[in-house]
Amino acid sequence: SPAPTDEGWLTQCTRAPHGPWPGQSREAYLDEWLLQPRTADYTALAALERILCERLLRASSRGIRGGTAVISFTEVPPAQLARLRVYRRHRLRWDLEPFALAIRRSWLVERGGQPVRYGDEALYRELDAGERPFFQRRLSERPETERQMDWSREREWRHVGDLPLDDLPRCAGRVLVPDVESARRVAIWSRWQIAILCETPARCD
C-alpha cells in the first residue's frame, strides 16, 4: 500500500539499540550474544518487529532534558524522511532510519501526544513541569567550528510514557519499510498495512 502523504500522520522511526532492548535485562542481552551470536539481531528492523509483536511503543529518556521518558514522532511526511536521515557521530547512531510506524495524529492527541516547542533557555525556564517534556532546544550547542543543527526541521511530537497499540485501528496505523524483503519479514507480526518507502542517499552530520 502507499505510504501516508497528508499531514494527519505522525511517524515513529525505529533504530538499532546500543545495548539491551528496553525492558530486557543485561543478563538476557549478554546471554543472547554469547549463546546465540548468529541469530542475535539488534537492528532497526528487529526493533520494528519487536514493536509489532508486543504492540507497544516503549518510552526512553535518552537525550531528553529532565529525564522524562517519552516517545518521539515526526510530523514530516514519510516520503520526505529520507532527506533528513543523518548519522549522528556524537550519538553513534543514525536518525530517522527507514523502518517506522506511522499513526494518525488524532489518535495520538487523544492519548496526550503534543507537538514539541522549540526554543532557547529562556523559553525552557518559562515552562511549567508538565510542559517541559515537550521542550526541545532549537539549535544544538556546538563549537563555532562545527555546523549547528536546527532541530525544528524534524517537526517533532512526543508522548510521555509507554504507548500501548492494542486499540490502534487498522485504518489509523501504517508500517513503513524500505524494501520488499523487509515487508515480508514484518508481515508476520503486523495487523496494519505495510508501505514501502523509497530511500535517497543519507549524509553524515
Side-chain angles (χ1 to χ4, degrees):
S1 62
T5 57
D6 63 68
E7 295 188 356
W9 293 83
L10 300 171
T11 304
Q12 204 276 333
C13 296
T14 64
R15 63 172 63 100
H18 291 290
W21 295 112
Q24 181 186 36
S25 70
R26 183 160 185 81
E27 291 75 15
Y29 169 72
L30 293 175
D31 283 347
E32 189 167 2
W33 279 110
L34 292 172
L35 302 177
Q36 307 174 61
R38 293 186 178 181
T39 58
D41 187 354
Y42 285 75
T43 61
L45 174 55
L48 179 58
E49 287 183 300
R50 188 176 178 88
I51 291 168
L52 298 176
C53 181
E54 295 182 337
R55 294 191 182 178
L56 176 69
L57 285 171
R58 294 180 180 269
S60 171
S61 60
R62 186 177 182 184
I64 304 300
R65 183 169 178 175
T68 300
V70 304
I71 303 165
S72 295
F73 300 82
T74 176
E75 196 175 32
V76 175
Q80 299 176 23
L81 286 177
R83 302 177 190 174
L84 300 179
R85 188 177 179 226
V86 60
Y87 185 76
R88 304 287 180 202
R89 294 189 181 94
H90 65 295
R91 292 185 177 177
L92 301 176
R93 63 167 171 78
W94 286 94
D95 275 355
L96 301 173
E97 295 210 57
F99 301 95
L101 177 67
I103 65 174
R104 284 287 183 186
R105 183 172 58 193
S106 57
W107 186 85
L108 186 70
V109 169
E110 291 174 356
R111 286 151 184 81
Q114 297 181 35
V116 160
R117 295 183 63 179
Y118 294 95
D120 55 15
E121 187 66 22
L123 173 61
Y124 182 80
R125 290 196 297 266
E126 292 174 3
L127 301 177
D128 62 36
E131 295 174 316
R132 288 184 171 180
F134 301 95
F135 169 85
Q136 174 63 48
R137 181 181 288 273
R138 189 175 72 83
L139 297 176
S140 60
E141 295 181 309
R142 291 195 167 192
E144 293 182 2
T145 56
E146 296 186 26
R147 182 173 56 84
Q148 279 192 316
M149 168 67 182
D150 185 347
W151 293 103
S152 65
R153 68 201 292 262
E154 294 190 349
R155 296 166 59 186
E156 185 181 357
W157 282 60
R158 290 177 184 168
H159 176 276
V160 173
D162 294 347
L163 181 62
L165 302 171
D166 293 299
D167 63 342
L168 177 63
R170 290 177 60 86
C171 61
R174 197 71 58 84
V175 178
L176 310 177
V177 294
D179 51 53
V180 173
E181 182 179 351
S182 299
R184 289 172 178 162
R185 185 166 154 179
V186 301
I188 300 172
W189 310 107
S190 181
R191 60 176 296 211
W192 303 283
Q193 288 186 315
I194 300 169
I196 296 177
L197 294 174
C198 294
E199 289 191 81
T200 58
R203 61 185 178 85
C204 290
D205 188 31

